[in-house]
């Protein structure tokens, strides 16, 4: 009979919760993941026993290929350490994908895709590409998908605590804002439209995920909405991020990642930010975006 691992750690306290400075749970009982609100060892052991593989999707099209080396090197140091990871790299220039030493259980899968003249188009097409490959390939290879921007670097641990059926990430520029000032799409002509009296949070387009099935449903719906908008001659104010936010209003995420999981140091360093796990890499938009 296997000897159960002893469960030795500080017992949770019903009174005096670990964080009284931030919201830890949404009205629909989805946890918001902040440092100090969970026991990583417990979660990590649960996932180790399940032998889970996670797919990390990233698009490095045209000049954005320059971000890939640091992205992958920092992911090797901080992302799902000790677990199996498939890096799904979508690019129009496979031969420029840098070779990075990978730890055991981790592999790079390069998926060649076409580029487009406008960066907005490239950004939006991610919904089409992720839904297509989720159905054709990812469903057979991984349990979870984590879909992120490439002009980023990992700066601290990002582990299994982020995994859930469907998760989104708070956008760092709107965490203290009222819903009326969220930059949702406000034109009823767009499929991404959200009325001023609806919506919970403003989610960032650069970090979402979940089970392959849930990510497939989300990306398929967002892509269909993008196509419909295009037919009607309209493009949502923040492209696929607008459609993601619309989706999350009516299909609530089962977990929300805090500001720790997507931060930009140009926004300063509020007290509530105890860890900066995934950081924007400053870029000269003009020099990079439409090359
Ligand atoms: O890969 C590219 N190439 C481009 O020319 C423009 C965007 N993209 C992908 O779309 C990158 O993965 C970007 O991270 C993502 C859109 N996100 C951004 O440009 C900033 N993070 C807002």
């Amino acid at each position: 009979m296997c000897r159960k691992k002893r469960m030795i750690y500080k017992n949770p306290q019903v009174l005096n919760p670990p964080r009284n400075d931030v919201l830890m749970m949404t009205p629909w009982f989805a946890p918001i993941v902040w440092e100090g609100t969970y026991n990583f060892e417990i979660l990590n052991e649960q996932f180790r026993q399940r032998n889970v593989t996670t797919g990390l999707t990233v698009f490095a099209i045209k000049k954005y290929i320059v971000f890939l080396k640091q992205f992958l090197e920092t992911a090797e140091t901080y992302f799902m350490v000790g677990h199996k990871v498939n890096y799904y790299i979508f690019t129009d220039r496979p031969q420029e994908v840098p070779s990075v030493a990978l730890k055991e259980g981790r592999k790079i899968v390069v998926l060649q895709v076409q580029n487009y003249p406008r960066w907005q188009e490239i950004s939006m097409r991610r919904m089409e590409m992720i839904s297509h490959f989720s159905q054709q390939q990812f469903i057979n290879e991984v349990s979870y998908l984590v879909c992120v921007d490439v002009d980023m670097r990992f700066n601290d641990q990002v582990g299994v605590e982020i995994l859930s059926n469907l998760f989104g990430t708070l956008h760092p520029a709107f965490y203290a804002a009222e819903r009326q000032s969220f930059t949702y799409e406000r034109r009823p002509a767009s499929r991404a439209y959200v009325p001023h009296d609806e919506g919970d949070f403003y989610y960032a387009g650069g970090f979402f995920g979940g089970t392959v099935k849930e990510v497939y449903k989300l990306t398929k719906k967002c892509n269909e909405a993008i196509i419909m908008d295009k037919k009607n001659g309209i493009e949502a104010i923040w492209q696929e991020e607008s459609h993601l936010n619309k989706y999350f209003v009516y299909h609530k995420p089962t977990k929300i990642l805090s500001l720790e999981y997507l931060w930009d140091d140009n926004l300063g360093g509020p007290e509530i930010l105890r860890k900066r796990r995934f950081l924007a890499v400053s870029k000269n938009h003009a020099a990079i975006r439409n090359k």
Side-chain angles (χ1 to χ4, degrees):
M1 98 103 168
C2 75
R3 190 170 143 53
K4 275 275 171 237
K5 237 167 100 91
R6 300 248 292 138
M7 301 296 266
I8 304 295
Y9 42 77
K10 192 177 174 316
N11 69 299
Q13 289 294 326
V14 172
L15 308 176
N16 310 318
R19 293 289 298 256
N20 55 13
D21 52 348
V22 289
L23 184 69
M24 288 163 43
M25 186 69 71
T26 69
W28 58 93
F29 282 129
I32 303 172
V33 186
W34 294 95
E35 176 65 12
T37 64
Y38 59 91
N39 179 308
F40 178 73
E41 282 63 39
I42 298 176
L43 294 172
N44 205 43
E45 185 52 30
Q46 287 176 328
F47 273 87
R48 288 206 63 68
Q49 285 164 15
R50 287 175 48 190
N51 192 21
V52 153
T53 304
T54 300
L56 180 61
T57 71
V58 70
F59 289 70
I61 295 171
K62 297 198 314 196
K63 264 302 186 197
Y64 274 67
I65 194 90
V66 301
F67 295 105
L68 208 42
K69 190 166 177 5
Q70 183 181 44
F71 177 93
L72 292 170
E73 287 173 346
T74 55
E76 276 300 285
T77 304
Y78 294 114
F79 184 75
M80 300 288 165
V81 173
H83 295 273
K84 290 184 197 154
V85 172
N86 286 2
Y87 294 110
Y88 292 120
I89 300 173
F90 294 80
T91 183
D92 58 330
R93 45 200 73 187
Q95 70 287 353
E96 293 182 39
V97 172
S99 57
V100 170
L102 302 180
K103 291 175 184 159
E104 190 194 348
R106 302 162 82 97
K107 70 175 175 181
I108 285 180
V109 177
V110 178
L111 302 165
Q112 180 154 8
V113 294
Q114 69 175 91
N115 68 40
Y116 294 88
R118 295 175 63 238
W119 65 266
Q120 296 91 335
E121 186 70 32
I122 291 171
S123 196
M124 289 190 287
R125 290 277 178 169
R126 294 187 290 174
M127 291 298 186
E128 176 193 31
M129 292 291 100
I130 294 171
S131 65
H132 172 79
F133 282 92
S134 290
Q135 188 185 41
Q136 295 298 318
Q137 181 170 344
F138 302 160
I139 189 69
N140 302 320
E141 298 181 351
V142 298
S143 309
Y144 292 92
L145 286 172
V146 178
C147 309
V148 298
D149 279 356
V150 75
D151 47 340
M152 306 292 293
R153 65 182 170 89
F154 291 90
N155 183 61
D156 208 323
Q157 295 298 326
V158 174
V160 297
E161 75 280 357
I162 72 171
L163 300 178
S164 184
N165 279 353
L166 180 65
F167 66 84
T169 305
L170 297 178
H171 191 296
F174 296 93
Y175 68 95
E178 291 300 316
R179 66 160 56 118
Q180 290 81 344
S181 53
F182 291 164
T183 52
Y184 288 148
E185 173 53 59
R186 300 299 188 182
R187 295 168 291 175
S190 168
R191 285 290 180 292
Y193 172 62
V194 178
H196 277 88
D197 57 353
E198 293 185 45
D200 310 295
F201 304 100
Y202 190 74
Y203 300 93
F207 198 151
F208 65 91
T211 59
V212 176
K213 179 166 171 276
E214 286 303 321
V215 170
Y216 170 69
K217 284 159 54 181
L218 179 155
T219 53
K220 184 169 184 289
K221 189 103 176 184
C222 287
N223 185 49
E224 286 163 356
I226 287 167
I227 290 168
M228 191 58 78
D229 274 6
K230 195 173 287 184
K231 277 206 185 73
N232 296 330
I234 191 167
E235 183 174 288
I237 181 172
W238 288 104
Q239 297 81 40
E240 82 286 354
E241 183 173 87
S242 301
H243 292 279
L244 179 76
N245 273 279
K246 164 86 174 209
Y247 187 86
F248 278 150
V249 177
Y250 304 105
H251 310 80
K252 306 294 189 199
T254 53
K255 183 176 277 186
I256 295 179
L257 306 186
S258 70
L259 307 172
E260 299 164 14
Y261 291 88
L262 200 156
W263 188 253
D264 182 337
D265 282 334
N266 294 327
L267 296 169
E271 279 294 298
I272 54 171
L273 194 68
R274 294 186 187 175
K275 294 251 180 177
R276 297 153 47 247
R277 302 170 189 276
F278 194 46
L279 295 173
V281 169
S282 60
K283 60 185 167 292
N284 166 356
H285 275 88
I288 292 273
R289 258 190 174 159
N290 287 324
K291 282 260 181 335

